[in-house]
Each structure stands twice: as C-alpha cells, then as structure tokens.
Amino acid sequence: MDRMFHVIEAQQFDRELMGEIFSVTKEMEEVVSRYGSSILNRRIMATLFYEPSTRTRLSFESAMIRLGGNVVTTESAREFSSAAKGETLEDTIRIVEGYADVIVMRHFESGAARRAADVASVPILNAGDGPGQHPTQALLDVYTIKKEIGRLDGITVAMVGDLANGRTVRSLAYLLARYDDVKLFFVAPEVVRMKQDIKEYLDRHGVHFEEKEDLIEVAQQSDVIYQTRIQRERFGDRIADYESARGKYIVDSNTMEALPEAGRVLHPLPRIDEIAPEVDGDPRAAYFRQAHNGIYIRMALLRMVLEA
Ligand code: CP
C-alpha cells in the first residue's frame, strides 16, 4: 500500500496493486452494507471540480462520508473558486492542502492532475483531466468486468465511440494491458479514432488490438462492449466533425442480439443516445451496476491513500 500516494494516471497501477485495491474494494462493499464505518473519522476530503460531474464527485463525497470523514467542495470551480480571479492551479492546491487531508480534482486540461501533484503535500486523486485520463473510473471499470464476467485474463473488450477524447478508454486501455491475452477492438468514427500514443503503448506491451468498422461483427466476438459518448464539449467549433461522429455507432437491440449470452455492455456514463433505452432492461446491460461500483472503488482508494 505504500506505493500509492497520488492517483494520477493508470500506468502507475500494476496487476499486484490492482489486486490489493480490488480486495479492499470488496471489503468496502461489506462496509456499505453495514451502513459505513468510522475509519476516516475527522479526515477531510476537498473536491475541486473545474468541469461538470454527477457520478465522480458525488460517489467520492458519498465514499468519504461512508467512511466517517468530512467533505469540503467546490463545483464549477472555474466560476466559483478564485480561479475566476486568476489564481493559478498551483496556488489553489497550496491553499487547499491546508484545509484538507486529500484533494480530489477534475480539471479541463490534460496534465493538470500531475501539475497539482507536483506541488501538493497531500494526496491528489485525478477525477479526470480534460481528454487525458480518468484512472479511478478505469479502476471501477476493471473491477466491474471482473465482477460481471469473472475473469480479466483472456478478455476481449470492444471500445466504441469517442476514443480520441475519451479519457476513460485511454485509462482503461492502460489497465487492461496489465492482464494476459487481452484483445481490444477499437470501433470509432473517423474523426475520433484512438490516438497513436495508446496504440504504440499497446504495441510495446504486446497487447493485440484491431481497429474495426462493423459494430455487429465486433459484438459477436466480444466479452464486453464499452460504449462511450461523443463528447460535444471537446469539438469546439468543429460542428461538422461532431455531427459526422454522432449517432454512427449505437448499441441497440440488434447489437444485443449479436453479443454473446455471457457478454456485457458497459458505459462510463453519462449517455446521450449511443445506447438505446430498449437495452436497459437486458441483464447484460451493466452500466448502472458499473456506476454503483464507483463508490466501493473510491472508498478503497480513500482508505488506502489516507491510511498509507
Ligand atoms: N463517468 C463519469 O466520470 O461521470 P461524471 O462525469 O458524471 O463524473
């Protein structure tokens, strides 16, 4: 456990550390069923969110409260923190670390969590940095796959949608590369294909991946379809590019017909229209269960960084 202080990027987690985290996460499921614990009594978590969030911020806050700790928070930090007056991120961190034992931060710039960690004396947990990474989401995604499918070695995962801007798929690719015989399919509209740095990383680590166009063909060969939203907010004035990507790959009843009986559909959420509502009632639709696993993973991470 002493290997983890900040949580910045998925590459910092090896298989052994993920095993430790998942074991604590399992304990946290039991803690929640007993209505919580006081192990982080009197500890304070600050959540600094410069971009919108429902799941990540509220599950971190709920996780801290479930463990007996307290929360100070600013959402819309671009407007409601002193960033609006021109304060640098580094100065904000130097101040907030005096008020809290751990800082959970979501920022609009890739690399912001690393900048925060470089000046922080308390743990920084990256809750998403622009199109960079979302390591706590990827940990809960891997935990969900293990829980739903029963294994990680030999798994075939189809990543679908906005693979260029999706920080969750980037972090998830790094984590899945730690397991044996993993196969990845990338199914993305032309303008948002998986970036070269991830493909080079997978090549270097001997992870088999293929870029495909036919979602039905891919669904037939996958254990997990990991669908993602086309992120309008990352396109700026490239409206035509956004429109060309939006709606190209939708998980619907035809996709579910192609997916094996033991397969699962995951999505980091929020979704817009890339999973049809008709899919929600299928037992293989695991995305709401996946979001609920976020609280257990975040309880485990808070416990591990604060008790280290
Ligand atoms: N998955 C995820 O990060 O959701 P939020 O943006 O609602 O936190």
Side-chain angles (χ1 to χ4, degrees):
M1 289 196 190
D2 58 356
R3 283 177 293 153
M4 192 165 63
F5 185 68
H6 301 299
V7 173
I8 304 300
E9 59 183 17
Q11 302 93 302
Q12 76 187 80
F13 298 100
D14 60 21
R15 206 177 153 128
E16 191 191 343
L17 182 53
M18 279 192 275
E20 285 175 39
I21 293 168
F22 296 156
S23 154
V24 179
T25 302
K26 187 85 191 105
E27 279 176 48
M28 294 300 106
E29 292 201 30
E30 285 154 32
V31 166
V32 170
S33 70
R34 296 196 306 268
Y35 301 104
S37 150
S38 57
I39 55 176
L40 296 184
N41 188 23
R42 295 172 193 270
R43 310 302 286 276
I44 297 176
M45 176 184 77
T47 49
L48 266 179
F49 275 59
Y50 295 83
E51 275 193 339
S53 168
T54 296
R55 278 145 290 273
T56 312
R57 188 168 71 87
L58 294 183
S59 65
F60 259 118
E61 294 182 359
S62 180
M64 191 61 178
I65 292 165
R66 291 273 194 210
L67 290 171
N70 293 298
V71 176
V72 292
T73 184
T74 177
E75 59 174 330
S76 304
R78 266 208 261 203
E79 294 167 70
F80 296 138
S81 77
S82 284
K85 303 173 203 162
E87 185 168 64
T88 64
L89 175 63
E90 285 79 0
D91 278 0
T92 300
I93 295 297
R94 289 182 184 109
I95 298 304
V96 177
E97 70 180 9
Y99 305 153
D101 303 300
V102 57
I103 298 172
V104 177
M105 189 183 88
R106 170 168 291 186
H107 201 275
F108 49 90
E109 279 177 10
S110 181
R114 168 56 56 203
R115 279 173 53 207
D118 284 346
V119 298
S121 60
V122 300
I124 299 290
L125 305 190
N126 180 6
D129 57 340
Q133 286 217 30
H134 196 347
T136 71
Q137 174 72 44
L139 286 166
L140 81 87
D141 295 340
V142 174
Y143 185 73
T144 301
I145 294 171
K146 177 82 167 59
K147 206 166 151 183
E148 296 278 339
I149 305 277
R151 68 192 157 82
L152 291 161
D153 290 327
I155 202 95
T156 299
V157 177
M159 297 183 174
V160 183
D162 192 341
L163 306 187
N165 298 306
R167 55 194 172 203
T168 68
V169 285
R170 294 173 58 76
S171 292
L172 183 56
Y174 283 123
L175 292 193
L176 289 174
R178 297 292 194 185
Y179 295 91
D180 297 332
D181 303 319
V182 166
K183 183 172 178 180
L184 300 177
F185 289 119
F186 297 143
V187 184
E190 186 61 33
V191 292
V192 284
R193 286 173 66 175
M194 182 57 92
K195 286 188 177 155
Q196 202 57 28
D197 63 332
I198 297 289
K199 292 193 265 187
E200 283 169 9
Y201 181 91
L202 296 174
D203 273 337
R204 278 201 308 279
H205 290 81
V207 180
H208 181 87
F209 68 88
E210 288 177 44
E211 297 191 278
K212 304 285 263 185
E213 290 192 1
D214 185 341
L215 179 56
I216 297 293
E217 181 201 329
V218 163
Q220 287 165 342
Q221 300 170 51
S222 297
D223 298 299
V224 174
I225 295 175
Y226 190 96
Q227 174 67 300
T228 63
R229 176 177 64 94
I230 305 295
Q231 299 189 22
R232 172 70 190 90
E233 66 274 26
R234 310 277 180 223
F235 282 78
D237 57 7
R238 294 185 299 121
I239 309 289
D241 281 352
Y242 172 69
E243 290 301 337
S244 76
R246 191 181 160 212
K248 184 158 168 62
Y249 293 111
I250 293 182
V251 173
D252 58 13
S253 54
N254 293 327
T255 326
M256 297 309 280
E257 219 168 282
L259 186 69
E261 206 53 44
R264 291 290 185 275
V265 178
L266 269 62
H267 190 312
L269 305 177
R271 73 163 155 191
I272 309 300
D273 52 9
E274 63 278 0
I275 298 179
E278 72 216 24
V279 175
D280 295 356
D282 189 305
R284 296 170 295 171
Y287 30 92
F288 295 120
R289 297 192 293 274
Q290 175 190 2
H292 292 158
N293 288 332
I295 188 161
Y296 311 128
I297 280 284
R298 288 166 177 139
M299 286 170 77
L301 291 171
L302 288 169
R303 179 177 162 183
M304 291 171 79
V305 298
L306 287 172
E307 286 199 322

